[in-house]
Amino acid sequence: MSDVVVTGLGATTPLGGDVASSWAALLEGRSGIGLLSEEWAAQMPARVIGRLAVEPSEHIDRVKARRLDRCQQVALLAAREAWADAGQPEVDPERLAVVVGTGVGGALTMLFQDDVLEESGPTRVSPLTIPMLMPNGPSAAVGLELGARAGVHTPVSACAAGSEGIALALDLIRAGRADVAVAGGAEACIHPLPMAGFSRMRALSTRNDDPEHASRPFDKGRDGFVLGEGAGLVVLERADFARARGAHIYAVLAGAGVSNDSFDMVQPHPEGALAALAIRLALRDAGIDASEVGHVNVHATATPVGDVAEAGAILSALGDGAAVAGTKSMTGHMLGASGAVEAIFTILALRDQIVPGTQNADDLDDDPRVQALDIVRGASRKTALRAALNDSFGFGGHNVALVFTAA
Amino acid sequence: MATTEEIQTGLAEILEEVAGVLPADATPEKSFTEDLDVDSLSMVEIATAVEDKFGVAIPDDELANIRTVGDAVSFIEKNQS
């Protein structure tokens, strides 16, 4: 079975409009979190938010941008960056695949056009409503841009969707269905309805008086996640294909593990047993030992239950040797984009041999599983890394772990 | 009542907004689909914008018969009240 390598990275996040600026901000420990400025925010219990640092529509041709939902726009921008970064591989379009996961796709379009319907009637609803709201809209927009004809796919698995996109692309290349795949996730659904829904679940932080410190993975005072938006896409290639064209290789996508809790619709299994299974499966797939994993970019959204369950999963599957980074402390939770953006951070950690510091984990949770982890807090840590892991979990019980090894 | 020239100018503005067509290119003989690369979804948007601007509704079956910029100008001119 051929290795699959990473040759291009693209992202737009609350920390920056591209990979380089997002990564630089992350290593400096800067926060991408602020306060909602919209009028509707006043009545929201949670007003802290991870807005994109760079407005996507300003970087897309105006006529094209007005035909794309915001989540399609961010996917398109990340794809353009990743594709250029990979050196625009010359690949037979029938051997190029796209896999872009999302949590809710074009929810903003659906909600906006519902307002139009209510206020002005069905004849005023935009004819672009359907292509803008469909969950496969982001992947289709990327496929169209790149002319990908080997298949364009859309895993929809809530907050695991971006990681699942990368895991599925690995399968596609290994199965011989594509030589190159552009894979990851995209999300942009900052709107009163999703925010009200998450708030009613008590899932969102309400630390409105201190937005930069609202996202507190593993901290005693954590009170929920901060909603963010963004996109992250990577270019994956069969290793021999990449080498033949002299591509720059960031890392090897050595393995992926996927499991499902099938325990509760939204609550994680309290011991993280199935999350641990995903991690073990990823290690087995990669053919490496747990002790070789030097760094984990964790899911850690800063919900009271989730962080502890994840700590348990990591301890049971990997032990306590890996340096842990909870980067949502700076980006917020980009839902279906988060796993892909964090996979990019994991790849860059391997490249630069550095683990980003987790912010706001000032007073670690007393739970012994959290206490046992080597959580890098505050400043980033230089360290020798050969293998690193990224895990992501989503409502619906989805667990995905990705293992990257140094190029 | 808008003059032919005003309709032509107004339609060109709509075409620029919706489909990015340069006003200089929006001449009467141009076909929306073949010359100006305006797709069927954009045509529906254009029809809505025409109704807003000129108060002329273009029914779906009429929209199918409008092939060129000139066809649209004539339709609006004939049906404005």
Side-chain angles (χ1 to χ4, degrees):
Chain A
M1 191 165 62
S2 176
D3 277 350
V4 173
V5 296
V6 183
T7 59
L9 308 176
T12 183
T13 76
L15 290 172
D18 59 15
V19 169
S21 58
S22 298
W23 180 236
L26 196 78
L27 292 183
E28 286 168 18
R30 284 215 298 269
S31 173
I33 308 304
L35 273 182
L36 281 167
S37 54
E38 288 83 349
E39 213 170 283
W40 54 260
Q43 54 179 338
M44 289 288 147
R47 297 189 291 280
V48 283
I49 203 79
R51 274 276 184 213
L52 286 167
V54 174
E55 175 57 34
S57 61
E58 289 171 9
H59 294 267
I60 298 171
D61 169 73
R62 183 190 62 80
V63 174
K64 193 177 183 82
R66 65 185 293 285
R67 297 173 70 100
L68 297 172
D69 182 86
R70 189 175 176 86
C71 73
Q72 293 170 305
Q73 293 177 1
V74 292
L76 183 67
L77 289 176
R80 284 178 178 171
E81 184 190 359
W83 194 247
D85 188 39
Q88 301 181 315
E90 276 188 33
V91 56
D92 176 354
E94 294 181 12
R95 303 291 302 160
L96 172 62
V98 168
V99 193
V100 183
T102 185
V104 295
L108 294 181
T109 292
M110 178 164 331
L111 290 161
F112 178 74
Q113 292 298 330
D114 187 57
D115 291 344
V116 173
L117 176 67
E118 292 295 324
E119 284 161 22
S120 311
T123 62
R124 308 302 290 189
V125 168
S126 169
L128 301 168
T129 302
I130 303 302
M132 287 172 72
L133 73 76
M134 58 193 198
N136 54 320
S139 56
V142 172
L144 200 56
E145 174 86 1
L146 301 177
R149 302 206 158 123
V152 170
H153 308 272
T154 311
V156 175
S157 45
C159 308
S163 297
E164 195 175 355
I166 294 173
L168 290 179
L170 176 65
D171 288 345
L172 288 179
I173 295 173
R174 283 174 170 174
R177 289 172 57 192
D179 295 323
V180 180
V182 178
E187 201 80 74
C189 65
I190 296 172
H191 177 283
L193 185 74
M195 289 202 73
F198 282 126
S199 282
R200 298 291 292 157
M201 300 175 84
R202 307 266 187 277
L204 294 183
S205 170
T206 56
R207 198 178 284 257
N208 300 317
D209 57 347
D210 190 11
E212 292 196 2
H213 301 109
S215 183
R216 310 178 69 79
F218 302 118
D219 185 78
K220 259 183 205 160
R222 70 190 185 279
D223 68 333
F225 72 81
V226 174
L227 183 64
E229 55 179 354
L233 292 177
V234 298
V235 177
L236 301 174
E237 302 183 40
R238 224 180 56 231
D240 56 344
F241 186 91
R243 292 202 180 95
R245 69 178 189 90
H248 166 255
I249 293 170
Y250 280 96
V252 178
L253 173 54
V258 176
S259 71
N260 203 289
D261 280 5
S262 294
F263 166 78
D264 183 88
M265 189 60 83
V266 293
Q267 294 292 334
H269 186 283
E271 269 83 57
L274 286 307
L277 174 64
I279 295 172
R280 287 194 190 96
L281 290 171
L283 292 175
R284 188 193 302 167
D285 188 35
I288 67 169
D289 189 77
S291 62
E292 295 176 68
V293 176
H295 163 48
V296 185
N297 184 307
V298 288
H299 187 64
T301 64
T303 59
V305 181
D307 289 13
V308 173
E310 182 175 9
I314 292 168
L315 269 189
S316 97
L318 292 176
D320 58 5
V324 167
T327 51
K328 287 187 182 75
S329 54
M330 291 163 277
T331 62
H333 190 358
M334 297 168 276
L335 307 181
S338 65
V341 170
E342 287 155 14
I344 290 171
F345 292 155
T346 309
I347 292 161
L348 292 173
L350 272 176
R351 180 193 69 177
D352 295 348
Q353 301 283 290
I354 191 166
V355 176
T358 306
Q359 304 305 307
N360 308 326
D362 302 328
D363 191 7
L364 282 185
D365 193 300
D366 287 330
D367 189 286
R369 291 166 288 184
V370 173
Q371 290 284 334
L373 292 181
D374 175 16
I375 299 169
V376 178
R377 295 188 286 164
S380 304
R381 181 197 292 174
K382 289 292 282 183
T383 182
L385 298 172
R386 286 196 301 119
L389 186 141
N390 166 232
D391 60 14
S392 294
F393 316 119
F395 285 169
H398 312 279
N399 306 306
V400 180
L402 303 171
V403 174
F404 297 94
T405 54
Chain B
M1 296 280 277
T3 65
T4 309
E5 198 175 319
E6 285 164 350
I7 294 169
Q8 168 69 37
T9 306
L11 185 62
E13 284 166 7
I14 291 170
L15 276 164
E16 186 178 24
E17 166 63 24
V18 172
V21 174
L22 294 174
D25 290 337
T27 48
E29 77 286 0
K30 293 280 174 62
S31 155
F32 287 108
T33 52
E34 282 152 41
D35 300 321
L36 302 178
D37 204 23
V38 176
D39 68 13
S40 61
L41 299 187
S42 292
M43 283 303 291
V44 176
E45 290 198 280
I46 290 164
T48 307
V50 163
E51 188 173 357
D52 289 343
K53 199 172 210 120
F54 300 107
V56 175
I58 309 178
D60 287 350
D61 52 345
E62 293 289 349
L63 191 61
N65 297 327
I66 292 176
R67 208 178 58 79
T68 65
V69 173
D71 292 345
V73 172
S74 314
F75 183 89
I76 296 164
E77 199 165 21
K78 267 188 234 145
N79 291 280
Q80 62 182 343
S81 47

